[in-house]
Amino acid sequence: MGKLKAFITMSIDGYVAGPGQSEENPLGVGGEHLHDWLIPLKAFNEAHGREGGEVTASSPVVEAWFENVGAEIMGRNMFGGGPGPWGDDPWTGWWGDDPPYHNPVFVLTHHEREPLEMEGGTTFYFVTEGIESAVGQAREAAGDRDISIAGGAQAIQQYLAAGLIDELEISISPLLLGGGERLLDNLGDAEIGLEQAGVVEGVGVTHISYGVVKD
Amino acid sequence: MGKLKAFITMSIDGYVAGPGQSEENPLGVGGEHLHDWLIPLKAFNEAHGREGGEVTASSPVVEAWFENVGAEIMGRNMFGGGPGPWGDDPWTGWWGDDPPYHNPVFVLTHHEREPLEMEGGTTFYFVTEGIESAVGQAREAAGDRDISIAGGAQAIQQYLAAGLIDELEISISPLLLGGGERLLDNLGDAEIGLEQAGVVEGVGVTHISYGVVKD
């Protein structure tokens, strides 16, 4: 059975988005700098169908995000289109006609919607039955391959609190955002044990991977 | 002129102490595990006048804490003895007769007190005129050598917000404390730029050193 993994960039003060998130500014004030280390990379460009870019110590880290992944899970906020029902002309994601997932993507939502097939192998499935249903459907789609939680913070928090994540990789950006959306928050009384599994020093970023200890 | 440096251990969710701090439990619930990586080290034992211990990738990091340091600054909470006036039988610190500093230590407090000379070269000076006065006195004592902020979080926050820290090293422990005292909080509207200066992968800890960008 494949693993459930999450990869995310966090500021050193704990945020995955700055204050004042909005549709025009989904990462909040200053939050776009979280990914300053990522955007120039060749591995990132290639995932988005573009050529060129840099190769750094972070390149193998980013390449590993896409290796052996058979399905993705995503929160509604990350998929976007505002809260509430989908409406008559529904939002189709931030990523254009050919999203960088190339896999089935299971979107956690309270609002039913038919599957949305995009180009390049990405189909968005909208799951209203909760996080365990989403991971079950993702496992079926992924077969022996892994499942990646694409984000955002709330989806990662819910899966972490439920003890369902196997590997959590946090890329720590040297930013002080001072407010916004925290990653490791809202975990309730869950006792979650982490083991440091590996560290990579990038240029302006530190990647730490953690295994989640299972009882 | 020497640098003003701070070295501290933080959980991956941002805390330097867990919830429920008290005199009996100064690091709060679970907070004692923050230093699981540190306590077994030979470099740590030697600083406390003890022999033996482990040598790991973290050893040079800990040895560097004590190199070229000519004075220390410490918050009142870290020195201990509870809040308020010192009383007739005043608290002399957590560290016994021979504290591990072996230098002048400037304690930030609202309550005047005569200097307290301990064994081994440590003298505690109690500074009531604020953080800039303390760093001025520490510079005079340290000469060309560096000044180390021994802690705690509030002292580091005040010096960081005032733009006075040159180097900040955060040792990230793979713990989720879920509450307690946050390190990178209460920084107000200060715009603080950090540059990642170095990363060391330890056993159960990641050391990241940051330079603070000066305008």
Side-chain angles (χ1 to χ4, degrees):
Chain A
M1 194 169 77
K3 290 177 178 170
L4 183 60
K5 301 177 170 188
F7 315 96
I8 196 160
T9 298
M10 178 180 92
S11 65
I12 184 63
D13 60 348
Y15 298 99
V16 296
Q21 283 177 276
S22 65
E23 197 165 336
E24 298 82 49
N25 199 3
L27 290 173
V29 177
E32 72 278 10
H33 292 297
L34 281 164
H35 303 114
D36 283 353
W37 67 273
L38 173 64
I39 307 297
L41 294 186
K42 185 166 184 281
F44 181 75
N45 277 340
E46 282 177 352
H48 291 76
R50 298 187 297 262
E51 290 183 3
E54 299 172 10
V55 176
T56 72
S58 296
S59 296
V61 173
V62 174
E63 287 161 7
W65 293 353
F66 306 103
E67 278 163 18
N68 198 40
V69 170
E72 307 260 351
I73 295 173
M74 182 183 289
R76 163 71 189 265
N77 284 350
M78 179 160 172
F79 182 73
W86 296 104
D88 293 333
D89 182 18
W91 176 259
T92 58
W94 302 97
W95 305 274
D97 294 332
D98 183 7
Y101 299 105
H102 314 298
N103 268 319
V105 179
F106 296 86
V107 180
L108 301 163
T109 171
H110 296 292
H111 302 279
E112 289 189 13
R113 178 170 170 182
E114 290 298 306
L116 174 65
E117 190 175 343
M118 311 296 286
E119 294 172 14
T122 299
T123 299
F124 293 105
Y125 296 89
F126 300 89
V127 180
T128 56
E129 302 86 6
I131 63 169
E132 304 216 5
S133 171
V135 81
Q137 294 180 51
R139 281 211 191 286
E140 205 159 308
D144 288 339
R145 286 181 296 163
D146 295 333
I147 303 163
S148 168
I149 303 178
Q154 290 177 37
I156 293 175
Q157 287 165 13
Q158 290 176 48
Y159 280 103
L160 202 52
L164 293 171
I165 289 183
D166 299 297
E167 294 180 16
L168 174 63
E169 182 194 273
I170 302 178
S171 296
I172 299 180
S173 163
L175 276 186
L176 293 169
L177 290 175
E181 188 172 9
R182 285 196 191 278
L183 176 60
L184 297 168
D185 209 355
N186 306 315
L187 297 174
D189 294 331
E191 295 212 355
I192 304 158
L194 300 178
E195 279 177 346
Q196 184 176 299
V199 177
V200 173
E201 175 178 5
V203 180
V205 66
T206 301
H207 311 282
I208 312 181
S209 57
Y210 295 101
V212 180
V213 181
K214 310 278 177 178
D215 290 331
Chain B
M1 195 168 76
K3 291 177 177 170
L4 183 61
K5 300 177 171 187
F7 315 96
I8 196 158
T9 298
M10 179 180 91
S11 65
I12 184 64
D13 60 348
Y15 299 98
V16 297
Q21 283 177 275
S22 66
E23 196 165 337
E24 298 82 50
N25 199 3
L27 290 174
V29 176
E32 72 279 8
H33 292 297
L34 281 164
H35 303 116
D36 282 352
W37 66 273
L38 173 63
I39 307 297
L41 294 186
K42 186 165 182 280
F44 182 75
N45 278 340
E46 283 177 353
H48 291 76
R50 298 187 297 263
E51 291 183 3
E54 298 173 10
V55 176
T56 73
S58 296
S59 296
V61 173
V62 174
E63 287 161 8
W65 293 353
F66 306 102
E67 279 165 18
N68 198 40
V69 170
E72 306 259 353
I73 294 174
M74 183 183 288
R76 164 71 191 264
N77 285 352
M78 178 158 172
F79 181 73
W86 296 103
D88 294 333
D89 183 18
W91 176 259
T92 59
W94 302 98
W95 305 275
D97 295 333
D98 183 7
Y101 299 106
H102 315 297
N103 268 317
V105 179
F106 297 86
V107 180
L108 301 164
T109 170
H110 296 292
H111 302 280
E112 289 190 12
R113 178 170 170 181
E114 291 298 307
L116 174 65
E117 191 175 342
M118 310 297 285
E119 294 172 14
T122 299
T123 299
F124 293 105
Y125 296 90
F126 300 89
V127 180
T128 57
E129 302 86 7
I131 63 169
E132 304 214 6
S133 172
V135 80
Q137 294 179 52
R139 280 209 192 288
E140 206 161 308
D144 289 339
R145 285 182 295 162
D146 295 332
I147 303 163
S148 168
I149 303 178
Q154 289 177 37
I156 292 175
Q157 287 165 11
Q158 290 176 48
Y159 280 103
L160 201 53
L164 294 170
I165 289 183
D166 299 298
E167 294 179 17
L168 174 63
E169 183 194 272
I170 303 178
S171 296
I172 299 179
S173 162
L175 275 186
L176 293 169
L177 289 175
E181 188 172 8
R182 284 195 191 277
L183 176 60
L184 298 168
D185 209 356
N186 306 315
L187 297 174
D189 293 330
E191 294 211 358
I192 303 157
L194 300 179
E195 279 178 346
Q196 184 176 299
V199 176
V200 173
E201 176 178 3
V203 180
V205 66
T206 301
H207 311 283
I208 312 181
S209 58
Y210 295 101
V212 181
V213 181
K214 308 280 179 177
D215 291 330

